[in-house]
Amino acid sequence: MRSAEDGYRLWLRYGVVSDARRLAEYRSALNGSVVVAGGSPTLDAAKSELGLGLSGLLGRPVHFAGGDAGQRAAADVNAVVVVAGTPVGSPSIAALDLTDDLRAAGDEGFIVRRVLSGARLGARLGARSGARAMVVIAANRDIGVLYGVFAFLRAMQTHRPLAGLNMTSAPALKRRMLNHWDNLDGSIERGYAGSSLWDWASLPGTLSPRYRDYARANASIGINACVLTNVNANSLVLTPEYLPKVAALADAFRPYGIRVFLTARFSAPIEIGGLKSADPRIAGVATWWRDKCREIYRHVPDFGGFLVKANSEGQPGPQDYGCDHAQGANLLGDALSVNGGGGIVIWRAFVYRENVAQDRAKQAFTDMVPLDGAFHGNAMVQAKNGPIDFMPREPFHPLFGAMPKTPMLIEFQITQEYLGQGTHLVYLAPLFKETLDADTYAGGPGSPVGKRVSGMAGVANIGNDRDWCGHPFGAANWFAFGRLAWDGTLSADSIADDWLRMTFTNDARFVTPVKALMMTSREAVVNYMTPLGLHHIMAKDHHHGPGPWVDTGRADWTSVYYHRADAAGIGFDRTKTGSNAVAQYHPPWPEVFGSLASCPETLLLWFHHVPWSHKMTSGRTLWDELCLRYQGGVDAVRHMRAVWQTLGARIDPARAEHVKVLLGIQEQEARWWRDACLLYFQTFSKLPLPTGCEPPAGRLEDFRLLKHTYVPDARRPDR
Ligand code: GCW
């Protein structure tokens, strides 16, 4: 029985190909048996996925042939139409002499190609009448075969012709990771899709089927690592009580090429080791971490390593002992090398302190750049895409291109903490691409962020909601993150196209307009929340809704610290007349960002304090432009609603209705942001709203009095 359209199957939906011509083409071309040569848990996973996919897409059972394609093709009229394997595991793959192509595929890559078996296999088998076309899925390693199977099925799910099918693909980045900010009590920090997937209480005895489906979904987009626990770490996960549970998850994910990491709390030697100190210079502390790693490797031999948030937002770290981040990272990295262990330490550069005068946007660079080269071989530094904190728009982090001796990972937030949380449709691929494509000019032009990192980490938006991400379009961001980590040159548009076809329908009357809607959604949220470079003006703590008036508590957690609105104007002067954060970028950025005339208007108020009367390129004053950007954001959501209204009938009612309701909330919240922010900023500008900007539906004092107690993941004081 087809499962209800509840989103559970994500993009791995294998319904019968809806286009009759394409279905006929596939059925005819694939009228034969399938061989998955060789045997391993990964190849078993590949075989299982091929069976599930082909039987679903073709609407008929799949016939798997044993042995190798060559033997079968020779002996059996029911010729082989698909063969998957590695040259080592399959003589017929070897016979195809794909050496050069497979060299390009590397360790994790694959080839998916339609070949005329008679031409090649025939030669090996002695001439056979009639060359048969055969789809070859080949790789150097089993995991590449699995990735190739998903790529082949994706081609069919998106109705690509088999004729001329010829893909050779290898991941650009070695590390393609999800970071789950999941707590051991089942809550998820900044999570809006239910509770944690990891059912710690029932592990290791019970393995939820969701673990395998999680692994399948990740393998289908090439994600090869996951950090199971929150960076605001809990040492308990490193204890004997939890390690068998971690091992059970690692075992479930391993066939799908996903390595498990954990977050390490720097004070663990004290909290679970009974030591008096966690000082990296104390021999007993290093011994404790080495013993702990030995213990972890006993449970998870291919343990990926530790992700560490230290000396940031109250987390313990090496600076508590007068040591620096490199000393902290090397303590854990050296421990992970014990017994030749392959684990790595990933040290987050999200470090800033409240009791310093320095601009928060500068502090990570100030702390980390002097340590370039001081990290040991199995340490990496992970920096967020921007220097503050996953805002709807930030300039790229100046650390990218500033630590040439240190392998780096870029951290994106897939969960929408600052982009509408669980209710706003915001397709993030344009945001990911904007940063990955940004030229750092490190060593001159042509040095984009995407080429300066060895990996990507995405703060997951996954929970145990039936549809995994809460919002039906949330999974598009998980999908896009993985696809871009594998191939940063993909366009946001093409990724959206694939996702829509795989998730909803290949009907162009749906795909085309909805893809356009997705492609406008990131600019829309920027405009109705923080246009023109405004940032960090959300409500306190839960970050749900606007809070430009927030001015209590630590300065760098308020809003006034960032917008600096006054009678003269608005924005944060980060040029040399201000904090001079622009100086942390490679030329020509300090000049480009530093001058009002050349600074991109999308980042104007990030880098400049600008007079309300400043003439924008539109010819309007800054104040009028600001108002019309906010209005434009609201109008964009209205347009999204109108588009969706006309398309519901092209997909299942359940998801059509769910998105319709959410878009209604999104428009209401976009108006809330516009009205609250403009009313508040108007108290400084004292200027009227320009024509075209709707009057606010409320008074500033009402907006300021709004209190939301139970917002999803309103961080509890006890955490
Ligand atoms: O964006 C902030 C979030 C915190 C998060 C922190 C981080 C895990 O508000 O919830 O803590 O970033 O990245 O460590």
Side-chain angles (χ1 to χ4, degrees):
M1 198 269 279
R2 278 167 62 90
S3 64
E5 292 300 0
D6 55 9
Y8 181 82
R9 290 177 293 163
L10 292 166
W11 51 84
L12 297 180
R13 292 153 38 95
Y14 298 126
V16 177
V17 170
S18 56
D19 177 293
R21 268 182 340 100
R22 194 62 85 212
L23 177 58
E25 178 207 331
Y26 290 162
R27 281 180 165 169
S28 148
L30 300 174
N31 179 21
S33 55
V34 176
V35 170
V36 179
S40 70
T42 299
L43 288 173
D44 294 346
K47 182 171 181 178
S48 159
E49 200 69 29
L50 260 182
L52 184 67
L54 289 179
S55 59
L57 290 161
L58 299 176
R60 67 186 186 204
V62 173
H63 175 254
F64 280 102
D68 183 46
Q71 286 96 30
R72 299 303 305 180
D76 181 340
V77 289
N78 184 3
V80 171
V81 290
V82 177
V83 58
T86 63
V88 169
S90 160
S92 55
I93 299 274
L96 290 173
D97 187 17
L98 299 165
T99 317
D100 289 345
D101 299 293
L102 279 175
R103 189 173 302 116
D107 256 2
E108 296 182 274
F110 55 83
I111 294 167
V112 176
R113 183 176 299 164
R114 196 136 181 266
V115 298
L116 284 180
S117 56
R120 310 295 289 264
L121 273 187
R124 206 176 69 79
L125 305 169
R128 271 167 44 75
S129 61
R132 277 295 309 253
M134 180 166 72
V135 174
V136 171
I137 301 169
N140 291 310
R141 293 176 48 229
D142 293 353
I143 189 60
V145 175
L146 179 61
Y147 291 149
V149 161
F150 280 114
F152 172 51
L153 293 173
R154 181 164 67 234
M156 293 179 66
Q157 287 174 276
T158 54
H159 292 188
R160 301 306 193 258
L162 286 186
L165 184 67
N166 186 3
M167 294 185 251
T168 300
S169 180
L173 301 176
K174 180 178 177 204
R175 310 257 176 209
R176 309 179 301 277
M177 312 177 75
L178 288 184
N179 291 183
H180 292 272
W181 287 357
D182 289 30
N183 297 307
L184 299 182
D185 66 1
S187 63
I188 302 177
E189 185 153 352
R190 311 308 177 187
Y192 311 100
S195 305
S196 177
L197 276 180
W198 324 132
D199 185 350
W200 295 112
S202 71
L203 281 164
T206 315
L207 275 183
S208 158
R210 292 198 81 155
Y211 301 148
R212 179 171 174 274
D213 290 332
Y214 167 85
R216 288 178 51 233
N218 279 318
S220 77
I221 50 178
I223 286 174
N224 63 0
C226 66
V227 184
L228 297 176
T229 46
N230 192 357
V231 286
N232 290 327
N234 183 332
S235 303
L236 267 181
V237 77
L238 303 179
T239 61
E241 177 192 358
Y242 278 88
L243 290 179
K245 299 169 185 280
V246 172
L249 291 172
D251 294 345
F253 302 159
R254 189 170 293 109
Y256 291 87
I258 298 162
R259 288 180 72 177
V260 157
F261 288 66
L262 294 172
T263 46
R265 190 168 164 79
F266 200 77
S267 51
I270 301 167
E271 289 159 5
I272 61 171
L275 301 191
K276 294 266 179 296
S277 165
D279 185 327
R281 291 164 303 192
I282 296 176
V285 171
T287 303
W288 186 87
W289 280 109
R290 257 200 315 281
D291 293 345
K292 180 51 69 184
C293 292
R294 238 183 241 109
E295 181 188 1
I296 295 172
Y297 284 129
R298 276 198 300 278
H299 289 89
V300 186
D302 60 351
F303 178 59
F306 296 130
L307 171 64
V308 181
K309 173 178 181 179
N311 291 123
S312 162
E313 298 187 337
Q315 295 299 309
Q319 291 176 342
D320 303 341
Y321 305 95
C323 295
D324 63 35
H325 293 296
Q327 286 171 286
N330 294 338
L331 168 72
L332 272 60
D334 295 351
L336 284 160
S337 308
V338 73
N339 299 352
I344 64 168
V345 59
I346 302 173
W347 199 266
R348 293 178 85 224
F350 182 65
V351 290
Y352 64 101
R353 290 180 295 283
E354 62 176 311
N355 48 11
V356 289
Q358 189 180 53
D359 173 1
R360 172 176 163 184
K362 294 181 73 176
Q363 293 185 35
F365 185 99
T366 308
D367 263 18
M368 301 305 278
V369 168
L371 302 176
D372 189 32
F375 291 91
H376 292 171
N378 66 340
M380 301 184 79
V381 167
Q382 177 169 303
K384 293 189 176 182
N385 56 291
I388 292 289
D389 195 2
F390 299 134
M391 297 290 120
R393 170 165 278 123
E394 299 197 25
F396 66 90
H397 203 302
L399 272 179
F400 299 120
M403 297 183 73
K405 302 189 196 94
T406 308
M408 290 194 71
L409 288 166
I410 183 167
E411 180 181 331
F412 287 111
Q413 204 173 38
I414 307 171
T415 188
Q416 294 167 223
E417 173 183 358
Y418 301 101
L419 286 98
Q421 301 187 346
T423 50
H424 293 210
L425 192 166
V426 183
Y427 177 51
L428 295 176
L431 184 157
F432 300 154
K433 289 284 289 180
E434 184 174 284
T435 302
L436 291 171
D437 295 347
D439 197 338
T440 65
Y441 283 95
S447 182
V449 169
K451 292 267 183 289
R452 305 292 310 190
V453 297
S454 325
M456 273 169 62
V459 181
N461 62 345
I462 301 162
N464 69 358
D465 271 5
R466 185 70 188 154
D467 68 4
W468 302 79
C469 300
H471 192 298
F473 278 75
N477 294 328
W478 175 8
F479 181 83
F481 172 80
R483 297 293 304 281
L484 285 170
W486 181 278
D487 178 0
T489 66
L490 290 173
S491 70
D493 184 282
S494 68
I495 293 170
D497 194 276
D498 281 350
W499 181 78
L500 285 167
R501 291 166 177 266
M502 298 165 83
T503 303
F504 288 104
T505 170
N506 277 274
D507 183 343
R509 293 166 300 178
F510 175 85
V511 172
T512 306
V514 175
K515 182 171 60 172
L517 171 161
M518 289 171 73
M519 291 300 287
T520 63
S521 61
R522 186 276 181 118
E523 222 48 47
V525 73
V526 166
N527 284 331
Y528 62 71
M529 285 190 178
T530 51
L532 299 173
L534 280 176
H535 53 288
H536 204 287
I537 57 172
M538 66 283 166
K540 213 171 162 63
D541 285 339
H542 49 64
H543 302 159
H544 171 61
W549 45 77
V550 173
D551 59 2
T552 54
R554 57 183 280 180
D556 58 3
W557 284 4
T558 67
S559 299
V560 297
Y561 176 99
Y562 297 94
H563 63 65
R564 313 234 153 159
D566 57 27
I570 185 172
F572 194 125
D573 181 356
R574 289 192 166 108
T575 71
K576 49 179 176 297
T577 57
S579 75
N580 203 23
V582 295
Q584 294 185 335
Y585 290 94
H586 289 282
W589 288 121
E591 295 68 43
V592 170
F593 288 144
S595 131
L596 252 183
S598 57
C599 183
E601 285 189 345
T602 51
L603 290 170
L604 198 67
L605 306 181
W606 180 285
F607 285 113
H608 296 269
H609 189 274
V610 183
W612 296 116
S613 57
H614 171 73
K615 263 298 178 284
M616 303 293 284
T617 49
S618 63
R620 287 188 283 262
T621 62
L622 168 65
W623 170 251
D624 286 359
E625 186 70 28
L626 186 70
C627 295
L628 292 172
R629 291 282 175 121
Y630 269 107
Q631 182 62 46
V634 171
D635 293 343
V637 178
R638 285 186 178 133
H639 177 67
M640 289 160 69
R641 290 189 75 185
V643 168
W644 190 263
Q645 194 67 27
T646 66
L647 296 165
R650 299 209 184 283
I651 60 168
D652 51 283
R655 292 184 294 173
E657 181 60 19
H658 190 187
V659 173
K660 179 179 165 225
V661 167
L662 288 169
L663 284 171
I665 295 170
Q666 187 169 354
E667 183 195 338
Q668 179 196 331
E669 294 188 351
R671 281 188 276 110
W672 174 27
W673 270 91
R674 176 200 60 193
D675 294 351
C677 294
L678 289 182
L679 281 170
Y680 172 73
F681 292 135
Q682 195 175 37
T683 63
F684 297 95
S685 72
K686 305 274 192 267
L687 292 166
L689 297 183
T691 314
C693 185
E694 289 164 359
R699 300 174 309 157
L700 179 57
E701 43 276 35
D702 302 328
F703 289 117
R704 292 188 65 144
L705 289 174
L706 269 179
K707 286 278 174 284
H708 293 85
T709 310
Y710 295 110
V711 172
D713 182 53
R715 276 194 293 178
R716 292 195 303 277
D718 61 354
R719 258 189 298 150

